Every structure is written in C-alpha cells, then in structure tokens.
Amino acid sequence: MKFKLIYNGEIKINPKKRSQHLHDIRMTLSPQLERLSEISPYNIIKERMNKTKSKGIKEINGVKFFPIIRPELNLLAELDIQIMHPELLETPRADIDNRMKTLLDALKRPQNAHEIAENTDKHDIIYTLLDDDHLVTKMTINTSHLLYKEQNPSPNKDYDLLVIITVNIKASKGTPENLAIIV
C-alpha cells in the first residue's frame, strides 16, 4: 500500500536547536498521518493498536507519539523521496546526505527525552511515520529544481523545499493484523 506525505519548508543540515527543528517538521507531517489513520485501509493500524493496553501510544517524557509503521504489526517502509529546491547546484545548502539524516530523524518518533523539543505540547498525540528508522528497508532520493514562484514569498523562501515522500508499506511477515494493509 502506498501513500504520500508532503512537506514544504526548510530541512536544516545541522540546526543549532536540532530537537526543535525536528519537532517543527513532525508537526507539519503529524496531521497528514492522523488523517491517514482515519481512512481505510490504514485505519486498521489504529484499530489494532486500540486493542492493546497502550492503545499504540508510545510516551516519552510525558509526550505521546503514535507511529504508523511499527514492529508490533511487522510493518516496514520503503521511501521514495522527491526533493524540489529553489537553489542552484553546487551550493553548500545542497548537502543532501545531511538533509536526509534530518528528515529521517523527523519521520521517526523520538527515542529519548533529549530528542523532544522543550515547547512540545503534552496534551495532543503526535503522529509519526516510523517507530524507528531501522524500519526503512529501501530509500530512493530524487532532487530537482523547484520552478514555482510565489506571489508573496516569505523571507526564507530561498531555503524552502517541497518534499514529496511516497511511502510503500511492506510487511516483514504477513499476520492477520497487517493483512488488509499490505494487500
């Protein structure tokens, strides 16, 4: 099963406030993943997790996370990432490997309290794509120039990317819990 996530914004190479930057990216993707968990057949993930004691929520330092791709359901992810950027090639901001590290870290739930931003709301559930990035079994990355020009660009628009992440859900083994998702 495939679906797409859209991110439009900065992906910093080595941000000073790394946990805050990752949180900002997560908060852009979280509503998309929450909506995904409400529509068939992906709603099965939430239904299966609601039958567990934790309801599928993983809490770290009082913050609740709900990863979609998770080991409990034997789910894995293949990612096809399209990055469109307004910058010229051969510039320092074209550092693709470090941008991918930042993006992968934002796609997974934090593993410890140090990875959570200080201002994170402890009342809402944050949806993440991955429980951990080791659940990614394949990743392709394509880059191209973003030719679209806005009428009223923001001051940071020179750094903003349009990222389209195509997620293909696979299973490490077929089970009754994940059968409807992977068919």
Side-chain angles (χ1 to χ4, degrees):
M1 298 295 283
K2 288 186 181 183
F3 62 91
K4 294 184 186 303
L5 297 171
I6 307 291
Y7 175 74
N8 185 222
E10 258 188 295
I11 299 179
K12 296 179 182 177
I13 294 168
N14 199 3
K16 290 181 182 178
K17 295 184 177 184
R18 182 169 177 75
S19 61
Q20 182 62 52
H21 182 58
L22 296 177
H23 175 72
D24 294 342
I25 296 171
R26 277 188 199 111
M27 294 312 293
T28 300
L29 298 173
S30 181
Q32 296 173 59
L33 292 164
E34 181 177 12
R35 174 69 182 121
L36 179 80
S37 74
E38 296 168 352
I39 58 175
S40 180
Y42 305 104
N43 61 336
I44 291 170
I45 295 169
K46 201 175 205 177
E47 288 172 10
R48 299 283 193 258
M49 290 294 97
N50 278 336
K51 293 179 181 177
T52 66
K53 184 179 179 183
S54 69
K55 304 232 182 274
I57 294 170
K58 305 215 175 178
E59 191 170 327
I60 301 168
N61 204 31
V63 181
K64 299 175 186 101
F65 295 91
F66 187 92
I68 301 294
I69 310 287
R70 49 179 61 235
E72 300 96 323
L73 294 177
N74 298 296
L75 297 177
L76 303 169
E78 293 178 350
L79 305 177
D80 181 15
I81 302 169
Q82 176 71 43
I83 302 172
M84 290 175 266
H85 54 88
E87 57 204 32
L88 298 173
L89 296 176
E90 300 177 12
T91 62
R93 292 187 304 270
D95 186 355
I96 193 74
D97 57 334
N98 285 317
R99 279 190 173 162
M100 285 301 89
K101 175 161 179 28
T102 299
L103 182 61
L104 281 173
D105 285 346
L107 290 174
K108 70 179 180 74
R109 77 169 169 83
Q111 304 300 303
N112 58 55
H114 299 293
E115 295 179 11
I116 298 174
E118 291 178 20
N119 67 341
T120 303
D121 186 358
K122 295 185 179 186
H123 300 291
D124 293 330
I125 297 171
I126 299 171
Y127 286 73
T128 61
L129 176 64
L130 305 164
D131 186 56
D132 194 285
D133 58 7
H134 78 273
L135 299 171
V136 175
T137 60
K138 179 181 175 184
M139 186 168 70
T140 57
I141 303 160
N142 298 300
T143 63
S144 60
H145 291 287
L146 180 62
L147 302 176
Y148 175 77
K149 190 168 187 161
E150 283 190 87
Q151 298 291 354
N152 300 309
S154 71
N156 289 332
K157 272 299 184 207
D158 288 344
Y159 304 102
D160 283 358
L161 305 172
L162 176 61
V163 181
I164 302 170
I165 305 164
T166 303
V167 180
N168 189 13
I169 298 179
K170 298 286 188 174
S172 58
K173 67 179 178 180
T175 65
E177 286 79 24
N178 67 22
L179 188 59
I181 301 163
I182 60 171
V183 174

